[in-house]
C-alpha cells in the first residue's frame, strides 16, 4: 500500500504552447489576456498514474474538490514537470455504498521552481451488497 | 470597486453548455473521460446523461473572477463540485466578498448556479488588493 506523504510520482511534460492556451481560453469562455487560472488542469498526468496505482475503478470516480495555490503565473514556453503524492485517504461505509476519499497533492514545477501547488480530492463510490441486519 | 464584506459581484449570465462545448473542453483540458462525452456510457454508470466537467464549471467561475478582479492577483482558488451539471440548461455566475483575511487580502466566494439559484460549483478565492 502506498504510504501517505512518502511515495512520489514524477512526470515531465512539454512546453506550454500558445495554441494550447487559445484552445483553453475558448473552451472556458475566457476574455482574458493571461493564461486562465485553471489551465493547470491539463497537468493531471501524475494524478492519473496515482489513480492507476491505487486501483481506482474509474467508472465510480467523482471529483469532489480542487485547490490551486499560485506562486507565479504560468507563461507560454514554460516547460512543466510534476511531483505528486497521496496526502490523505479515508473510507466510509454506508448501507449499500462504500465511499473512498483520496487526496492527491501535486507540485507543478518549471525547472526547480514550484509555480502552482494543487490539492485534489477524489471520491470513489462503489455499490456494495446489502447485508442482513442493515449497515452502519 | 469596493471590497468590503457583503459586496456583491455583478451577476453574469453564462447560457447553456452544449455537448459540442464539452467536446471542445475535453480536448483543451485533456480530460476525455466518457462520462462527459458519451451519453450511453454516462447512463450505464448511473448518470442522467453526459455531465459537465467539474473543472469546466470551476474554470468558468475562475475566469469570471479573473475578469472582475483584473487589476488584482488571485493567489488561491478552491472549487467544490456540489451537484452534477448537465448540458443545455441555463447557467449564471454570482459571487460576493466574504471577509478581509488580513490587510490587503480578501476572501471571495462565487458560484456557477442554475436558473433556480442552486449552486452547482462553488469557488472560493483569495485575492490581493491595494489598501
Amino acid at each position: 500500500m502506498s504510504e501517505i506523504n512518502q511515495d512520489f510520482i514524477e512526470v515531465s511534460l512539454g512546453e506550454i504552447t500558445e495554441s494550447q492556451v487559445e484552445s483553453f481560453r475558448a473552451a472556458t469562455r475566457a476574455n482574458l489576456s493571461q493564461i486562465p487560472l485553471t489551465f493547470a488542469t491539463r497537468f493531471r498526468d501524475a494524478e492519473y498514474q496515482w489513480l492507476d496505482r491505487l486501483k481506482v475503478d474509474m467508472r465510480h470516480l467523482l471529483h469532489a474538490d480542487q485547490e490551486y495555490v499560485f506562486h507565479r503565473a504560468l507563461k507560454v514556453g514554460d516547460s512543466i514537470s510534476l511531483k505528486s503524492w497521496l496526502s490523505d485517504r479515508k473510507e466510509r461505509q454506508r448501507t449499500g455504498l462504500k465511499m473512498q476519499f483520496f487526496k492527491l497533492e501535486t507540485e507543478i514545477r518549471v525547472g526547480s521552481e514550484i509555480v502552482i501547488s494543487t490539492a485534489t480530492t477524489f471520491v470513489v463510490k462503489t455499490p456494495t451488497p446489502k447485508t442482513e441486519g442493515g449497515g452502519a | 470597486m469596493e471590497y468590503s464584506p457583503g459586496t456583491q459581484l455583478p451577476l453574469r449570465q453564462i447560457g447553456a453548455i452544449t455537448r459540442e462545448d464539452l467536446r471542445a473542453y475535453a480536448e483543451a483540458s485533456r480530460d476525455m473521460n466518457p462520462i462527459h462525452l458519451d451519453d450511453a456510457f454516462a447512463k450505464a454508470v448511473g448518470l442522467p446523461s453526459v455531465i459537465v466537467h467539474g473543472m469546466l464549471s470551476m474554470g468558468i467561475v475562475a475566469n469570471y473572477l479573473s475578469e472582475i478582479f483584473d487589476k488584482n492577483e488571485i493567489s488561491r482558488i478552491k472549487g467544490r463540485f456540489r451537484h452534477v451539471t448537465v448540458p443545455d440548461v441555463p447557467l449564471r455566475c454570482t459571487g460576493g466578498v466574504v471577509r478581509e483575511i488580513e490587510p490587503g487580502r480578501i476572501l471571495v466566494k462565487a458560484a456557477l448556479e442554475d436558473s433556480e439559484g442552486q449552486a452547482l460549483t462553488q469557488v472560493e478565492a483569495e485575492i490581493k488588493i491595494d489598501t
Side-chain angles (χ1 to χ4, degrees), chain B residues 59-113:
Chain B
I60 288 171
V61 180
N63 292 343
Y64 163 73
L65 292 173
S66 292
E67 290 166 25
I68 291 171
F69 293 94
D70 61 341
K71 304 284 190 294
N72 307 94
E73 180 186 336
I74 298 177
S75 57
R76 184 183 73 86
I77 55 172
K78 181 171 186 175
R80 292 186 178 86
F81 309 111
R82 305 300 302 269
H83 297 282
V84 161
T85 304
V86 295
D88 303 325
V89 300
L91 301 167
R92 63 193 187 197
C93 286
T94 62
V97 178
V98 177
R99 63 183 170 86
E100 183 181 69
I101 298 167
E102 60 187 22
R105 208 154 57 97
I106 57 171
L107 181 70
V108 170
K109 287 193 177 180
L112 187 72
E113 297 180 348

CSV table of all heavy atoms in Angstrom, one decimal, chain B residues 59-113:
chain,number,residue,atom,x,y,z
B,59,GLY,N,-13.6,26.4,-14.1
B,59,GLY,CA,-12.9,27.3,-15.0
B,59,GLY,C,-13.7,28.5,-15.3
B,59,GLY,O,-13.2,29.6,-15.4
B,60,ILE,N,-15.0,28.3,-15.6
B,60,ILE,CA,-15.8,29.5,-16.0
B,60,ILE,C,-16.0,30.4,-14.8
B,60,ILE,O,-15.9,31.6,-14.9
B,60,ILE,CB,-17.2,28.9,-16.4
B,60,ILE,CG1,-17.1,28.3,-17.8
B,60,ILE,CG2,-18.3,30.0,-16.4
B,60,ILE,CD1,-18.3,27.5,-18.2
B,61,VAL,N,-16.1,29.9,-13.6
B,61,VAL,CA,-16.2,30.8,-12.4
B,61,VAL,C,-14.8,31.5,-12.1
B,61,VAL,O,-14.8,32.7,-11.8
B,61,VAL,CB,-16.6,30.0,-11.1
B,61,VAL,CG1,-16.7,30.9,-9.9
B,61,VAL,CG2,-17.9,29.3,-11.4
B,62,ALA,N,-13.7,30.7,-12.3
B,62,ALA,CA,-12.4,31.3,-12.1
B,62,ALA,C,-12.2,32.5,-13.1
B,62,ALA,O,-11.6,33.5,-12.8
B,62,ALA,CB,-11.3,30.3,-12.3
B,63,ASN,N,-12.6,32.3,-14.4
B,63,ASN,CA,-12.5,33.3,-15.4
B,63,ASN,C,-13.3,34.5,-15.0
B,63,ASN,O,-12.9,35.7,-15.2
B,63,ASN,CB,-12.8,32.8,-16.8
B,63,ASN,CG,-11.8,31.8,-17.3
B,63,ASN,OD1,-10.7,31.7,-16.8
B,63,ASN,ND2,-12.2,31.0,-18.3
B,64,TYR,N,-14.5,34.3,-14.5
B,64,TYR,CA,-15.4,35.3,-14.1
B,64,TYR,C,-14.7,36.2,-13.0
B,64,TYR,O,-14.7,37.4,-13.1
B,64,TYR,CB,-16.7,34.7,-13.5
B,64,TYR,CG,-17.6,35.4,-12.7
B,64,TYR,CD1,-18.5,36.4,-13.2
B,64,TYR,CD2,-17.7,35.1,-11.3
B,64,TYR,CE1,-19.4,37.1,-12.3
B,64,TYR,CE2,-18.6,35.8,-10.5
B,64,TYR,CZ,-19.5,36.8,-11.0
B,64,TYR,OH,-20.4,37.4,-10.2
B,65,LEU,N,-14.1,35.5,-12.1
B,65,LEU,CA,-13.4,36.3,-11.0
B,65,LEU,C,-12.2,37.0,-11.6
B,65,LEU,O,-11.9,38.1,-11.2
B,65,LEU,CB,-12.9,35.3,-9.9
B,65,LEU,CG,-14.1,34.7,-9.1
B,65,LEU,CD1,-13.5,33.7,-8.1
B,65,LEU,CD2,-14.8,35.8,-8.3
B,66,SER,N,-11.4,36.3,-12.5
B,66,SER,CA,-10.2,37.0,-13.1
B,66,SER,C,-10.6,38.2,-13.9
B,66,SER,O,-9.9,39.2,-13.9
B,66,SER,CB,-9.5,36.0,-14.0
B,66,SER,OG,-9.0,34.9,-13.3
B,67,GLU,N,-11.8,38.2,-14.5
B,67,GLU,CA,-12.2,39.3,-15.3
B,67,GLU,C,-12.7,40.5,-14.4
B,67,GLU,O,-12.4,41.6,-14.7
B,67,GLU,CB,-13.3,38.9,-16.3
B,67,GLU,CG,-12.7,38.0,-17.4
B,67,GLU,CD,-13.7,37.3,-18.3
B,67,GLU,OE1,-14.9,37.8,-18.3
B,67,GLU,OE2,-13.4,36.2,-18.8
B,68,ILE,N,-13.3,40.1,-13.3
B,68,ILE,CA,-13.8,41.2,-12.4
B,68,ILE,C,-12.6,41.8,-11.6
B,68,ILE,O,-12.5,43.0,-11.5
B,68,ILE,CB,-14.8,40.6,-11.4
B,68,ILE,CG1,-16.1,40.3,-12.1
B,68,ILE,CG2,-15.0,41.6,-10.2
B,68,ILE,CD1,-17.1,39.5,-11.2
B,69,PHE,N,-11.7,40.9,-11.2
B,69,PHE,CA,-10.5,41.4,-10.4
B,69,PHE,C,-9.3,41.4,-11.3
B,69,PHE,O,-8.2,40.9,-11.0
B,69,PHE,CB,-10.3,40.4,-9.2
B,69,PHE,CG,-11.4,40.5,-8.2
B,69,PHE,CD1,-12.4,39.6,-8.2
B,69,PHE,CD2,-11.4,41.5,-7.2
B,69,PHE,CE1,-13.4,39.7,-7.3
B,69,PHE,CE2,-12.4,41.5,-6.3
B,69,PHE,CZ,-13.4,40.6,-6.3
B,70,ASP,N,-9.5,42.1,-12.5
B,70,ASP,CA,-8.4,42.1,-13.5
B,70,ASP,C,-7.2,42.9,-13.1
B,70,ASP,O,-6.1,42.7,-13.7
B,70,ASP,CB,-8.9,42.5,-14.8
B,70,ASP,CG,-9.4,43.9,-14.8
B,70,ASP,OD1,-9.7,44.5,-13.7
B,70,ASP,OD2,-9.6,44.5,-15.9
B,71,LYS,N,-7.3,43.7,-12.1
B,71,LYS,CA,-6.1,44.5,-11.6
B,71,LYS,C,-5.5,43.9,-10.4
B,71,LYS,O,-4.6,44.4,-9.8
B,71,LYS,CB,-6.6,45.9,-11.3
B,71,LYS,CG,-7.3,46.7,-12.4
B,71,LYS,CD,-6.3,47.1,-13.5
B,71,LYS,CE,-6.9,48.1,-14.5
B,71,LYS,NZ,-7.9,47.4,-15.3
B,72,ASN,N,-6.0,42.8,-10.0
B,72,ASN,CA,-5.6,42.2,-8.7
B,72,ASN,C,-5.0,40.8,-8.9
B,72,ASN,O,-5.3,40.2,-10.0
B,72,ASN,CB,-6.7,42.1,-7.7
B,72,ASN,CG,-7.4,43.4,-7.5
B,72,ASN,OD1,-8.4,43.7,-8.2
B,72,ASN,ND2,-6.9,44.2,-6.6
B,73,GLU,N,-4.3,40.3,-7.9
B,73,GLU,CA,-3.7,39.0,-8.1
B,73,GLU,C,-4.5,38.0,-7.3
B,73,GLU,O,-4.8,38.2,-6.1
B,73,GLU,CB,-2.2,39.0,-7.5
B,73,GLU,CG,-1.6,37.6,-7.6
B,73,GLU,CD,-0.2,37.6,-6.9
B,73,GLU,OE1,0.4,38.7,-6.8
B,73,GLU,OE2,0.2,36.6,-6.5
B,74,ILE,N,-5.0,36.9,-7.9
B,74,ILE,CA,-5.7,35.8,-7.2
B,74,ILE,C,-4.6,34.8,-6.8
B,74,ILE,O,-3.9,34.3,-7.7
B,74,ILE,CB,-6.7,35.2,-8.2
B,74,ILE,CG1,-7.8,36.3,-8.5
B,74,ILE,CG2,-7.4,34.0,-7.5
B,74,ILE,CD1,-8.9,35.8,-9.5
B,75,SER,N,-4.5,34.6,-5.5
B,75,SER,CA,-3.4,33.8,-5.1
B,75,SER,C,-3.8,32.4,-4.8
B,75,SER,O,-2.9,31.5,-4.7
B,75,SER,CB,-2.7,34.4,-3.8
B,75,SER,OG,-3.7,34.6,-2.8
B,76,ARG,N,-5.1,32.1,-4.6
B,76,ARG,CA,-5.5,30.8,-4.3
B,76,ARG,C,-7.0,30.6,-4.7
B,76,ARG,O,-7.8,31.6,-4.6
B,76,ARG,CB,-5.5,30.5,-2.8
B,76,ARG,CG,-5.8,29.1,-2.4
B,76,ARG,CD,-5.8,28.9,-0.9
B,76,ARG,NE,-6.9,29.5,-0.2
B,76,ARG,CZ,-8.1,29.0,0.0
B,76,ARG,NH1,-8.4,27.8,-0.4
B,76,ARG,NH2,-9.1,29.6,0.6
B,77,ILE,N,-7.3,29.5,-5.3
B,77,ILE,CA,-8.8,29.2,-5.6
B,77,ILE,C,-9.0,27.8,-5.2
B,77,ILE,O,-8.2,26.9,-5.3
B,77,ILE,CB,-9.2,29.4,-7.0
B,77,ILE,CG1,-8.3,28.6,-8.0
B,77,ILE,CG2,-9.2,30.9,-7.4
B,77,ILE,CD1,-8.8,28.7,-9.4
B,78,LYS,N,-10.2,27.6,-4.7
B,78,LYS,CA,-10.7,26.2,-4.4
B,78,LYS,C,-12.1,26.0,-4.8
B,78,LYS,O,-13.0,26.8,-4.5
B,78,LYS,CB,-10.6,26.0,-2.9
B,78,LYS,CG,-11.0,24.5,-2.5
B,78,LYS,CD,-10.7,24.2,-1.0
B,78,LYS,CE,-11.0,22.7,-0.7
B,78,LYS,NZ,-10.6,22.4,0.7
B,79,GLY,N,-12.3,25.0,-5.6
B,79,GLY,CA,-13.6,24.7,-6.1
B,79,GLY,C,-14.2,23.4,-5.5
B,79,GLY,O,-13.5,22.5,-5.2
B,80,ARG,N,-15.5,23.5,-5.2
B,80,ARG,CA,-16.2,22.3,-4.7
B,80,ARG,C,-17.3,22.0,-5.6
B,80,ARG,O,-18.1,22.9,-5.9
B,80,ARG,CB,-16.8,22.6,-3.3
B,80,ARG,CG,-15.7,22.8,-2.2
B,80,ARG,CD,-16.3,22.9,-0.8
B,80,ARG,NE,-15.3,23.0,0.2
B,80,ARG,CZ,-14.7,24.2,0.6
B,80,ARG,NH1,-15.1,25.3,0.0
B,80,ARG,NH2,-13.8,24.2,1.5
B,81,PHE,N,-17.4,20.7,-6.0
B,81,PHE,CA,-18.3,20.3,-7.0
B,81,PHE,C,-19.5,19.7,-6.3
B,81,PHE,O,-19.5,18.6,-5.8
B,81,PHE,CB,-17.7,19.3,-8.0
B,81,PHE,CG,-16.4,19.8,-8.5
B,81,PHE,CD1,-15.1,19.3,-8.1
B,81,PHE,CD2,-16.4,20.9,-9.3
B,81,PHE,CE1,-13.9,19.8,-8.6
B,81,PHE,CE2,-15.2,21.5,-9.8
B,81,PHE,CZ,-14.0,20.9,-9.4
B,82,ARG,N,-20.6,20.5,-6.1
B,82,ARG,CA,-21.7,20.2,-5.2
B,82,ARG,C,-22.7,19.4,-5.9
B,82,ARG,O,-23.3,18.5,-5.3
B,82,ARG,CB,-22.3,21.5,-4.7
B,82,ARG,CG,-21.4,22.5,-4.0
B,82,ARG,CD,-20.7,21.8,-2.8
B,82,ARG,NE,-21.6,21.3,-1.8
B,82,ARG,CZ,-22.0,22.0,-0.8
B,82,ARG,NH1,-21.6,23.3,-0.6
B,82,ARG,NH2,-22.8,21.5,0.1
B,83,HIS,N,-23.0,19.7,-7.1
B,83,HIS,CA,-24.1,18.9,-7.8
B,83,HIS,C,-23.7,18.7,-9.3
B,83,HIS,O,-23.0,19.5,-9.9
B,83,HIS,CB,-25.4,19.7,-7.8
B,83,HIS,CG,-26.0,20.0,-6.5
B,83,HIS,ND1,-26.6,19.0,-5.8
B,83,HIS,CD2,-25.9,21.1,-5.7
B,83,HIS,CE1,-27.0,19.5,-4.6
B,83,HIS,NE2,-26.6,20.8,-4.5
B,84,VAL,N,-24.1,17.6,-9.8
B,84,VAL,CA,-23.9,17.3,-11.2
B,84,VAL,C,-24.5,18.3,-12.1
B,84,VAL,O,-25.6,18.8,-11.8
B,84,VAL,CB,-24.5,15.9,-11.5
B,84,VAL,CG1,-24.7,15.7,-13.0
B,84,VAL,CG2,-23.6,14.8,-10.9
B,85,THR,N,-23.8,18.8,-13.1
B,85,THR,CA,-24.3,19.8,-14.0
B,85,THR,C,-24.5,19.1,-15.4
B,85,THR,O,-23.6,18.5,-15.9
B,85,THR,CB,-23.3,20.9,-14.2
B,85,THR,OG1,-23.1,21.5,-12.9
B,85,THR,CG2,-23.8,22.0,-15.1
B,86,VAL,N,-25.7,19.2,-15.9
B,86,VAL,CA,-26.0,18.6,-17.2
B,86,VAL,C,-25.9,19.6,-18.3
B,86,VAL,O,-26.1,20.8,-18.0
B,86,VAL,CB,-27.3,17.9,-17.2
B,86,VAL,CG1,-27.3,16.7,-16.2
B,86,VAL,CG2,-28.4,18.8,-16.9
B,87,PRO,N,-25.7,19.2,-19.6
B,87,PRO,CA,-25.7,20.2,-20.6
B,87,PRO,C,-27.1,20.8,-20.9
B,87,PRO,O,-28.1,20.3,-20.4
B,87,PRO,CB,-25.2,19.4,-21.8
B,87,PRO,CG,-25.1,18.0,-21.4
B,87,PRO,CD,-25.4,17.9,-20.0
B,88,ASP,N,-27.1,21.9,-21.6
B,88,ASP,CA,-28.3,22.5,-22.2
B,88,ASP,C,-29.2,23.1,-21.2
B,88,ASP,O,-30.4,23.2,-21.4
B,88,ASP,CB,-29.1,21.5,-23.1
B,88,ASP,CG,-28.2,20.9,-24.2
B,88,ASP,OD1,-27.4,21.7,-24.7
B,88,ASP,OD2,-28.3,19.7,-24.5
B,89,VAL,N,-28.7,23.5,-20.0
B,89,VAL,CA,-29.5,24.3,-19.1
B,89,VAL,C,-28.8,25.6,-18.8
B,89,VAL,O,-27.6,25.7,-18.8
B,89,VAL,CB,-29.8,23.5,-17.7
B,89,VAL,CG1,-30.5,22.2,-17.9
B,89,VAL,CG2,-28.5,23.3,-17.0
B,90,PRO,N,-29.6,26.7,-18.7
B,90,PRO,CA,-29.0,28.0,-18.5
B,90,PRO,C,-28.3,28.1,-17.2
B,90,PRO,O,-28.8,27.6,-16.1
B,90,PRO,CB,-30.2,29.0,-18.6
B,90,PRO,CG,-31.4,28.1,-18.3
B,90,PRO,CD,-31.1,26.7,-18.7
B,91,LEU,N,-27.1,28.7,-17.2
B,91,LEU,CA,-26.3,28.9,-16.1
B,91,LEU,C,-25.9,30.3,-15.9
B,91,LEU,O,-25.9,31.1,-16.8
B,91,LEU,CB,-25.0,28.0,-16.2
B,91,LEU,CG,-25.2,26.5,-16.5
B,91,LEU,CD1,-23.9,25.9,-17.0
B,91,LEU,CD2,-25.7,25.9,-15.2
B,92,ARG,N,-25.5,30.6,-14.7
B,92,ARG,CA,-25.0,32.0,-14.4
B,92,ARG,C,-24.0,32.0,-13.3
B,92,ARG,O,-23.9,31.0,-12.5
B,92,ARG,CB,-26.2,32.9,-13.9
B,92,ARG,CG,-26.8,32.4,-12.6
B,92,ARG,CD,-28.2,33.1,-12.4
B,92,ARG,NE,-28.7,32.7,-11.1
B,92,ARG,CZ,-29.9,32.9,-10.7
B,92,ARG,NH1,-30.8,33.4,-11.5
B,92,ARG,NH2,-30.3,32.6,-9.5
B,93,CYS,N,-23.2,33.0,-13.2
B,93,CYS,CA,-22.2,33.2,-12.2
B,93,CYS,C,-22.6,34.3,-11.2
B,93,CYS,O,-23.1,35.4,-11.7
B,93,CYS,CB,-20.8,33.6,-12.8
B,93,CYS,SG,-19.9,32.2,-13.6
B,94,THR,N,-22.4,34.0,-9.9
B,94,THR,CA,-22.7,35.0,-8.9
B,94,THR,C,-21.5,35.0,-7.9
B,94,THR,O,-20.8,34.0,-7.9
B,94,THR,CB,-24.0,34.8,-8.2
B,94,THR,OG1,-23.9,33.5,-7.5
B,94,THR,CG2,-25.2,34.7,-9.1
B,95,GLY,N,-21.5,36.0,-7.1
B,95,GLY,CA,-20.4,35.9,-6.1
B,95,GLY,C,-20.5,37.2,-5.2
B,95,GLY,O,-21.3,38.1,-5.4
B,96,GLY,N,-19.6,37.1,-4.2
B,96,GLY,CA,-19.5,38.3,-3.3
B,96,GLY,C,-18.3,38.2,-2.4
B,96,GLY,O,-17.6,37.2,-2.3
B,97,VAL,N,-18.0,39.4,-1.8
B,97,VAL,CA,-16.8,39.4,-0.9
B,97,VAL,C,-17.3,38.9,0.5
B,97,VAL,O,-18.3,39.4,1.0
B,97,VAL,CB,-16.3,40.9,-0.8
B,97,VAL,CG1,-15.1,41.0,0.2
B,97,VAL,CG2,-15.9,41.4,-2.1
B,98,VAL,N,-16.5,38.0,1.0
B,98,VAL,CA,-16.9,37.4,2.3
B,98,VAL,C,-16.3,38.1,3.5
B,98,VAL,O,-17.0,38.5,4.4
B,98,VAL,CB,-16.5,35.9,2.3
B,98,VAL,CG1,-16.8,35.3,3.7
B,98,VAL,CG2,-17.1,35.1,1.2
B,99,ARG,N,-15.0,38.3,3.4
B,99,ARG,CA,-14.3,39.0,4.5
B,99,ARG,C,-12.9,39.3,4.1
B,99,ARG,O,-12.3,38.8,3.1
B,99,ARG,CB,-14.3,38.1,5.8
B,99,ARG,CG,-13.5,36.8,5.6
B,99,ARG,CD,-13.6,35.9,6.8
B,99,ARG,NE,-13.0,34.6,6.6
B,99,ARG,CZ,-11.7,34.3,6.7
B,99,ARG,NH1,-10.8,35.2,7.1
B,99,ARG,NH2,-11.3,33.0,6.4
B,100,GLU,N,-12.3,40.2,5.0
B,100,GLU,CA,-10.9,40.5,4.8
B,100,GLU,C,-10.1,39.5,5.6
B,100,GLU,O,-10.4,39.2,6.8
B,100,GLU,CB,-10.6,41.9,5.4
B,100,GLU,CG,-9.2,42.3,5.2
B,100,GLU,CD,-8.9,43.7,5.9
B,100,GLU,OE1,-9.0,43.8,7.1
B,100,GLU,OE2,-8.7,44.7,5.1
B,101,ILE,N,-9.2,38.8,5.0
B,101,ILE,CA,-8.4,37.8,5.6
B,101,ILE,C,-7.3,38.4,6.5
B,101,ILE,O,-7.1,38.1,7.6
B,101,ILE,CB,-7.7,36.8,4.6
B,101,ILE,CG1,-8.8,36.1,3.8
B,101,ILE,CG2,-6.8,35.8,5.3
B,101,ILE,CD1,-8.3,35.4,2.5
B,102,GLU,N,-6.7,39.5,5.9
B,102,GLU,CA,-5.8,40.3,6.6
B,102,GLU,C,-5.7,41.6,5.7
B,102,GLU,O,-6.2,41.6,4.6
B,102,GLU,CB,-4.4,39.6,6.7
B,102,GLU,CG,-3.8,39.3,5.3
B,102,GLU,CD,-2.5,38.4,5.5
B,102,GLU,OE1,-2.3,37.8,6.5
B,102,GLU,OE2,-1.8,38.4,4.5
B,103,PRO,N,-5.0,42.6,6.2
B,103,PRO,CA,-5.0,43.8,5.4
B,103,PRO,C,-4.3,43.5,4.0
B,103,PRO,O,-3.3,42.9,3.9
B,103,PRO,CB,-4.1,44.8,6.2
B,103,PRO,CG,-4.3,44.4,7.6
B,103,PRO,CD,-4.5,42.9,7.6
B,104,GLY,N,-5.1,43.9,2.9
B,104,GLY,CA,-4.5,43.6,1.6
B,104,GLY,C,-4.9,42.3,1.0
B,104,GLY,O,-4.5,42.0,-0.1
B,105,ARG,N,-5.7,41.5,1.7
B,105,ARG,CA,-6.1,40.2,1.2
B,105,ARG,C,-7.5,39.9,1.6
B,105,ARG,O,-7.9,40.0,2.8
B,105,ARG,CB,-5.2,39.1,1.7
B,105,ARG,CG,-5.0,37.9,0.8
B,105,ARG,CD,-3.6,37.3,1.1
B,105,ARG,NE,-3.5,36.9,2.5
B,105,ARG,CZ,-3.7,35.6,2.9
B,105,ARG,NH1,-4.1,34.7,2.1
B,105,ARG,NH2,-3.6,35.3,4.2
B,106,ILE,N,-8.4,39.6,0.6
B,106,ILE,CA,-9.8,39.3,0.8
B,106,ILE,C,-10.2,37.9,0.4
B,106,ILE,O,-9.5,37.3,-0.5
B,106,ILE,CB,-10.7,40.3,0.1
B,106,ILE,CG1,-10.5,40.3,-1.4
B,106,ILE,CG2,-10.6,41.7,0.8
B,106,ILE,CD1,-11.5,41.2,-2.1
B,107,LEU,N,-11.2,37.4,1.0
B,107,LEU,CA,-11.8,36.1,0.6
B,107,LEU,C,-13.1,36.4,-0.2
B,107,LEU,O,-14.0,37.1,0.3
B,107,LEU,CB,-12.1,35.2,1.8
B,107,LEU,CG,-12.7,33.9,1.5
B,107,LEU,CD1,-11.6,33.0,0.9
B,107,LEU,CD2,-13.2,33.2,2.8
B,108,VAL,N,-13.2,35.8,-1.3
B,108,VAL,CA,-14.4,36.0,-2.2
B,108,VAL,C,-14.9,34.6,-2.5
B,108,VAL,O,-14.2,33.6,-2.6
B,108,VAL,CB,-14.0,36.7,-3.5
B,108,VAL,CG1,-15.1,36.6,-4.5
B,108,VAL,CG2,-13.5,38.1,-3.3
B,109,LYS,N,-16.3,34.5,-2.5
B,109,LYS,CA,-16.9,33.3,-2.8
B,109,LYS,C,-17.8,33.5,-4.1
B,109,LYS,O,-18.5,34.6,-4.1
B,109,LYS,CB,-17.7,32.7,-1.7
B,109,LYS,CG,-16.9,32.1,-0.6
B,109,LYS,CD,-17.7,31.3,0.4
B,109,LYS,CE,-16.8,30.7,1.4
B,109,LYS,NZ,-17.5,29.8,2.4
B,110,ALA,N,-17.7,32.6,-5.0
B,110,ALA,CA,-18.5,32.7,-6.2
B,110,ALA,C,-19.1,31.3,-6.6
B,110,ALA,O,-18.6,30.3,-6.0
B,110,ALA,CB,-17.7,33.3,-7.3
B,111,ALA,N,-20.0,31.3,-7.5
B,111,ALA,CA,-20.6,30.0,-7.8
B,111,ALA,C,-21.1,30.0,-9.2
B,111,ALA,O,-21.5,31.1,-9.8
B,111,ALA,CB,-21.8,29.7,-6.8
B,112,LEU,N,-21.2,28.8,-9.8
B,112,LEU,CA,-21.9,28.6,-11.0
B,112,LEU,C,-23.3,28.0,-10.6
B,112,LEU,O,-23.3,27.0,-9.9
B,112,LEU,CB,-21.2,27.6,-11.9
B,112,LEU,CG,-21.8,27.4,-13.3
B,112,LEU,CD1,-21.6,28.6,-14.2
B,112,LEU,CD2,-21.3,26.1,-14.0
B,113,GLU,N,-24.3,28.8,-10.9
B,113,GLU,CA,-25.7,28.4,-10.5
B,113,GLU,C,-26.6,28.0,-11.7
B,113,GLU,O,-26.4,28.5,-12.8
B,113,GLU,CB,-26.4,29.6,-9.8
B,113,GLU,CG,-25.7,30.1,-8.6
B,113,GLU,CD,-26.4,31.3,-8.0
B,113,GLU,OE1,-27.3,31.9,-8.7
B,113,GLU,OE2,-26.1,31.7,-6.8
